[in-house]
Amino acid sequence: MWENLENDIKVWRINIKSEGAQALGLYYSAFWIPSNGKLFVYNSDKTKLLGAYTNLNNHESGLFANEIIEDSELTLEYVQKGGGNPIIQ
């Protein structure tokens, strides 16, 4: 679900949890970030932050992966100013 902030900024978050996992890494089968978007990945206590991933991380294959974070829970947070349709699968 999108959260609308001031100045035409929208934020979308999703938590991913794997009970008993010591670390998590994410592999994306489809990944495209518009020029006005940023993707962050962080652990449950926000002590490890990856990103911002931006349109500079887009690859013609549409594939992407982020490094492993030592935790059993991650949050993906996408921030966008203005319109556009990211692809994060």
Side-chain angles (χ1 to χ4, degrees):
M1 170 157 306
W2 288 98
E3 177 183 352
N4 292 309
L5 305 178
E6 296 177 1
N7 300 321
D8 201 24
I9 296 174
K10 299 186 296 186
V11 178
W12 170 85
R13 289 181 197 88
I14 188 168
N15 293 320
I16 298 172
K17 190 172 188 175
S18 179
E19 291 291 336
Q22 294 183 10
L24 295 172
L26 300 175
Y27 297 88
Y28 307 83
S29 60
F31 185 89
W32 185 82
I33 304 292
S35 61
N36 59 340
K38 296 178 183 179
L39 176 68
F40 301 91
V41 181
Y42 50 86
N43 63 349
S44 58
D45 61 5
K46 299 182 182 180
T47 57
K48 176 75 175 187
L49 171 69
L50 305 178
Y53 299 113
T54 67
N55 65 317
L56 298 176
N57 298 103
N58 294 342
H59 188 269
E60 63 187 36
S61 70
L63 303 176
F64 186 69
N66 60 258
E67 69 182 82
I68 292 172
I69 294 180
E70 294 181 9
D71 202 328
S72 62
E73 185 175 345
L74 299 179
T75 298
L76 276 74
E77 179 175 292
Y78 179 75
V79 181
Q80 181 169 299
K81 182 171 176 125
N85 295 310
I87 300 171
I88 304 169
Q89 296 178 356

